[in-house]
Amino acid sequence: MRDERYDHYPQLEIDLGKLQENLAALQERCQVSGLKLSGIVKGFSAMPEAAKIYDRAGLDSIGSSRLEQLRHMRRAGVKTPLLMIRIPMLSEVDELVRWADISLQSEWSVLRATEEAAARAGVRHKVILMVDLGDLREGFWDREELISAALEVEEKLENLDLLGVGTNLGCYGSVQATPEKMEELIAAAEQVEAAIGRRLEVISGGASSSVHMLLDGTMPKRINHLRVGELLLLGRVWGCDMPQLHKDVFTLRAEVIEVKTKPSHPVGELSVDAFGRTRTYVDRGHRRRALLAMGRVDYGECEDLISREPGLIMLGASSDHTLVDVQNTVRKIQVGDILEFDLCYATLVYLSRSESVHLVFKGGPETQ
């Protein structure tokens, strides 16, 4: 829910000026190294106010895993080429070619259906064939199948353009993006190039988890494209911290609705919580505790919230309440106080889609 008032909670504030500066800093670094940058916007659900910052940045493309987000961006006036980063469903290929300029692909049947949809729509659609390097999510595992698919796109599917090959690492199998894995991708790309008789435009070396190689100079030279979401939004990702990026583009604020001293261990026979989980509790005696007017339906897991309040301890949450220990906070927390939190990627995805969370914007052209 977008609201001009700053006194509605829970509240997610987006600093568009800092987001713009993060984009500019990473894009400059990519350009120095000859990499194209696709900005991934699913982390904030492609809200138009922020997506337009990406549009003005001159990125190679803007990507999301949700077609409805691509549709919303296009209808909001975004002109940058749009990239579908989740392998398309057979049932959505007509929508795919309407709203996406480029898609990641790994299935013969979907490629052929996309060709037919593009022919019906009278458009050309670009594809990046995904290569599975061991993370075991999407992508061609068998290299001969990859080459055969590339040949079919190149020679038989007249409405599809083979833009390149790409990979994803770390999202399912926790496999690290390393120079060795990038060399594997380059080898696969060169096999494709030998088969089709031309150089590929794009060798897409992954997502935010690959940026550390760009920063430390270990990215192999033929990798020329990255799909980056989390790093731009949070200024950091596991194993990579770019000091010049803002870490506080997003701020979550929640209002305190109860403060009381209570036992720290539930009293009575224990069963499961509201989500069917068996929990354990530490008995620390009576402690001063606060309830916040937001819960797991808003942000996911409370353990992923990072409090800006010194001394605060996250205790747990139900659907609509968050429990925190405020016994040792620097200030004495009272009913009506507003507490602030930094976010991880997962909490941001939830919050930006919750109808109960009020969105406010500061900085950037959208607020002027």
Side-chain angles (χ1 to χ4, degrees):
M1 181 182 300
R2 288 158 176 79
D3 201 306
E4 296 301 319
R5 295 180 59 185
Y6 271 71
D7 59 353
H8 285 176
Y9 305 98
Q11 177 190 105
L12 179 64
E13 180 189 88
I14 301 97
D15 191 318
L16 298 176
K18 290 181 178 178
L19 179 59
Q20 183 173 336
E21 290 173 5
N22 280 6
L23 274 164
L26 184 59
Q27 189 175 20
E28 180 181 6
R29 190 63 181 265
C30 285
Q31 289 172 342
V32 168
S33 300
L35 274 80
K36 300 175 182 179
L37 178 62
S38 180
I40 307 305
V41 297
K42 65 176 183 176
F44 55 83
S45 302
M47 58 185 73
E49 296 88 346
K52 288 180 180 179
I53 299 295
Y54 284 62
D55 193 35
R56 283 187 284 267
L59 300 172
D60 182 67
S61 59
I62 299 173
S64 177
S65 57
R66 307 284 175 165
L67 267 180
E68 65 268 21
Q69 294 181 7
L70 301 184
R71 181 177 69 247
H72 293 330
M73 284 191 290
R74 190 63 84 211
R75 286 178 170 171
V78 169
K79 303 298 184 184
T80 304
L82 297 181
L83 167 65
M84 175 68 164
I85 63 169
R86 179 190 32 79
I87 302 304
M89 295 182 278
L90 275 173
S91 60
E92 66 183 0
V93 291
D94 288 299
E95 289 289 292
L96 173 72
V97 299
R98 182 179 181 184
W99 303 113
D101 303 286
I102 314 160
S103 61
L104 308 183
Q105 300 254 0
S106 65
E107 279 288 349
W108 289 86
S109 58
V110 181
L111 283 165
R112 290 164 181 165
T114 304
E115 158 71 14
E116 294 170 1
R120 286 192 295 271
V123 300
R124 300 194 65 80
H125 183 81
K126 298 178 181 180
V127 298
I128 297 173
L129 298 181
M130 295 298 281
V131 184
D132 192 335
L133 300 179
D135 203 62
L136 304 181
R137 200 177 71 177
E138 78 276 46
F140 289 95
W141 180 258
D142 183 273
R143 297 299 181 264
E144 291 303 319
E145 185 186 12
L146 168 69
I147 293 167
S148 296
L151 282 167
E152 177 154 343
V153 174
E154 185 77 359
E155 298 176 356
K156 298 180 180 179
L157 304 185
E158 298 180 354
N159 293 279
L160 301 187
D161 295 321
L162 179 58
L163 188 61
V165 300
T167 196
N168 180 78
L169 293 164
C171 287
Y172 167 72
S174 308
V175 173
Q176 291 188 44
T178 62
E180 292 75 21
K181 286 296 181 184
M182 295 301 100
E183 292 291 356
E184 286 184 43
L185 179 62
I186 292 168
E190 290 176 344
Q191 287 180 295
V192 169
E193 290 173 334
I196 66 176
R198 67 173 177 86
R199 195 175 178 90
L200 293 169
E201 184 178 336
V202 165
I203 303 178
S204 186
S208 294
S209 58
S210 294
V211 174
H212 67 94
M213 290 178 283
L214 167 67
L215 301 181
D216 63 21
T218 60
M219 181 70 80
K221 292 188 180 300
R222 285 223 59 195
I223 301 297
N224 64 0
H225 182 268
L226 292 175
R227 314 178 305 275
V228 181
E230 181 176 355
L231 183 70
L232 285 167
L233 303 180
L234 303 179
R236 61 187 180 276
V237 67
W238 188 89
C240 180
D241 187 340
M242 193 169 168
Q244 57 268 54
L245 297 188
H246 296 287
K247 309 297 191 289
D248 58 349
V249 173
F250 298 88
T251 299
L252 172 63
R253 298 188 178 96
E255 184 170 341
V256 177
I257 57 174
E258 178 186 290
V259 179
K260 296 186 184 300
T261 298
K262 296 184 181 182
S264 53
H265 193 283
V267 179
E269 185 175 346
L270 301 188
S271 177
V272 296
D273 68 11
F275 290 83
R277 297 180 179 180
T278 301
R279 297 191 56 201
T280 58
Y281 305 88
V282 177
D283 190 346
R284 303 176 63 196
H286 282 64
R287 306 277 295 183
R288 187 173 171 85
R289 299 150 64 91
L291 282 180
L292 308 181
M294 65 176 182
R296 288 179 57 187
V297 296
D298 298 309
Y299 55 70
E301 301 291 344
C302 68
E303 294 82 2
D304 292 333
L305 298 176
I306 306 164
S307 174
R308 294 181 182 174
E309 196 74 34
L312 183 144
I313 301 171
M314 301 299 302
L315 293 177
S318 59
S319 300
D320 309 299
H321 298 80
T322 300
L323 291 77
V324 295
D325 183 310
V326 294
Q327 180 76 27
N328 297 323
T329 52
V330 173
R331 63 168 172 155
K332 187 174 182 179
I333 302 300
Q334 307 283 356
V335 171
D337 284 347
I338 306 302
L339 303 185
E340 293 189 347
F341 298 85
D342 290 311
L343 308 173
C344 75
Y345 195 65
T347 54
L348 179 56
V349 172
Y350 278 105
L351 287 162
S352 61
R353 296 180 69 87
S354 174
E355 294 184 356
S356 300
V357 175
H358 300 267
L359 304 179
V360 295
F361 301 89
K362 64 179 288 188
E366 289 299 314
T367 61
Q368 297 174 2

